[in-house]
Amino acid sequence: MSLGIAPRISSDVDQAGEHLKKWARATGMVGEGPSGDAFDAILLHRLAAWTYPYATGAELDLMADWMGWFFTFDDILDDTENGCDQYFATETAATINSIYTGVRSSPPSDELRPYFAAMEDLWRRTTDGMPADWCRRLASDMVEYVNSYRSQALINASRCTLDEPSYRTHRLISSAVYVSLDIGEVASGNLLPESLLVHPYIRIARKAATNVVAWVNDLYSAPKELSLGDLCNYLAVLQHQDGLEVEYAANRVSRHVDTQIARFHDASRHIHSQLLPQLRAEDRQSVIAMLDTCACWMSGNVAWSMETARYASRCINNALRKTSGR
């Protein structure tokens, strides 16, 4: 597996690390002591710096804070018994979604209050001065992402895996990559017009890049997730669907990633040859920036996955070496 894209990292990575460390503790999502040390070891500021290498200063700080929120929020629903609790998942979704939808919900519980406060801060800083239609798009993508935990809770509680096509649809949303591409437009300063967002080649490029990031993440997180009995992992789906051993499932996912990489590059070529010449300069820049963010997410996700303590266990060695191009 080769992405054909060289990763690059923001020059302000260390500054973003100091900011995220303070912000995560100030919101209450992270405490001091061992829990704080464990959070810092994940190196989420480096994930932001790898995936938004063009961002510096306050923009990179904002991206790092988003990564901090995504991963700590994910862990309260993935790594605890609450991850199989439909009531908790539904309550959590309603509480967090109320921030950007305006639909009232019950006040956040003590457990959710830090994540609620952190998202309020993120939403304000991200949408300040942004066009209303862009804010609606981000809100819609956030609702789908947060609601995906309700589906995940049902799947894990019932111990019934999705079939492969259904899982692919679920993973497009649960990976939060669409949200990450949205906020990348804030980091780059290039907003993609809604009229271009629905262009077939742009849709293909964004979907292919999202699949690459999500499925590569499944490869790296498989040792952790399979050990916890999480059925929302591509390898778990193939194990149950086709009776594959873990290594064979990983190799198949790796081949699927190759296909998606090829789809992204093919769509990118069509965009450059057929779409960009028809656009005004401002829109051309927005599309080029979007493709760059997609590419940076695909390459940066791998670069970060190789260095973070989150995936320190790498028992599926063959697939992981292929993913990193080694």
Side-chain angles (χ1 to χ4, degrees):
M1 181 190 303
S2 176
L3 295 171
I5 304 165
R8 59 189 202 271
I9 194 165
S10 170
S11 59
D12 281 353
V13 57
D14 292 335
Q15 173 187 312
E18 289 301 313
H19 169 83
L20 176 58
K21 186 174 182 177
K22 295 174 182 176
W23 182 82
R25 287 159 174 79
T27 61
M29 293 193 304
V30 175
E32 297 293 349
S35 64
D37 293 340
F39 173 81
D40 297 340
I42 301 175
L43 305 177
L44 293 170
H45 64 292
R46 291 186 64 84
L47 174 61
W50 282 117
T51 54
Y52 307 104
Y54 45 77
T56 57
E59 284 75 21
L60 183 61
D61 291 347
L62 177 61
M63 297 300 106
D65 292 347
W66 271 98
M67 298 305 107
W69 189 88
F70 280 135
F71 279 80
T72 54
F73 181 74
D74 180 79
D75 284 348
I76 67 168
L77 288 155
D78 263 3
D79 289 0
T80 68
E81 292 183 2
N82 288 330
C84 294
D85 186 334
Q86 273 285 289
Y87 176 79
F88 180 79
T90 300
E91 177 189 42
T92 298
T95 299
I96 299 299
N97 286 337
S98 69
I99 295 169
Y100 32 82
T101 64
V103 178
R104 297 182 65 180
S105 70
S106 302
S109 64
D110 290 344
E111 185 173 8
L112 292 178
R113 189 170 292 113
Y115 307 95
F116 184 88
M119 179 49 64
E120 281 190 316
D121 180 64
L122 286 174
W123 188 255
R124 175 186 56 77
R125 290 159 58 201
T126 303
T127 61
D128 185 32
M130 298 293 284
D133 58 348
W134 186 90
C135 295
R136 283 193 293 271
R137 188 223 301 178
L138 179 60
S140 176
D141 286 343
M142 276 297 297
V143 167
E144 287 201 311
Y145 160 67
V146 173
N147 283 349
S148 72
Y149 285 98
R150 298 174 61 183
S151 301
Q152 189 156 312
L154 181 60
I155 293 164
N156 285 325
S158 67
R159 307 309 301 162
C160 182
T161 59
L162 296 172
D163 59 34
E164 189 172 359
S166 298
Y167 178 74
R168 287 186 172 200
T169 299
H170 169 77
R171 195 71 177 106
L172 271 175
I173 305 304
S174 70
S175 65
V177 178
Y178 280 148
V179 176
S180 300
L181 296 180
D182 291 342
I183 62 175
E185 295 172 28
V186 177
S188 72
N190 294 281
L191 304 188
L192 191 66
E194 297 301 302
S195 59
L196 289 176
L197 187 67
V198 298
H199 189 281
Y201 289 137
I202 290 178
R203 289 169 66 102
I204 290 170
R206 282 167 53 95
K207 182 177 180 179
T210 298
N211 284 336
V212 170
V213 174
W215 300 350
V216 166
N217 178 262
D218 280 1
L219 285 169
Y220 276 98
S221 62
K224 169 178 173 281
E225 292 177 352
L226 297 184
S227 69
L228 293 171
D230 189 349
L231 298 181
C232 291
N233 182 291
Y234 208 155
L235 276 67
V237 170
L238 294 178
Q239 281 185 293
H240 286 77
Q241 173 183 281
D242 299 326
L244 297 180
E245 296 293 335
V246 173
E247 185 171 333
Y248 289 103
N251 288 334
R252 184 182 295 181
V253 172
S254 181
R255 291 195 297 272
H256 289 329
V257 171
D258 282 335
T259 300
Q260 297 302 308
I261 293 169
R263 290 189 74 220
F264 173 80
H265 288 303
D266 187 57
S268 182
R269 283 191 293 270
H270 281 95
I271 288 169
H272 277 88
S273 64
Q274 299 180 28
L275 178 59
L276 292 185
Q278 304 175 26
L279 302 179
R280 58 184 184 177
E282 181 180 354
D283 289 345
R284 280 200 301 273
Q285 184 58 41
S286 295
V287 173
I288 291 170
M290 179 275 298
L291 289 173
D292 186 45
T293 299
C294 287
C296 290
W297 257 99
M298 289 189 289
S299 62
N301 176 54
V302 173
W304 170 75
S305 296
M306 293 297 292
E307 65 184 12
T308 178
R310 189 174 180 86
Y311 307 131
S313 174
R314 299 191 179 108
C315 64
I316 309 173
N317 293 323
N318 289 344
L320 296 183
R321 281 197 295 270
K322 290 178 182 178
T323 302
S324 62
R326 296 183 177 182

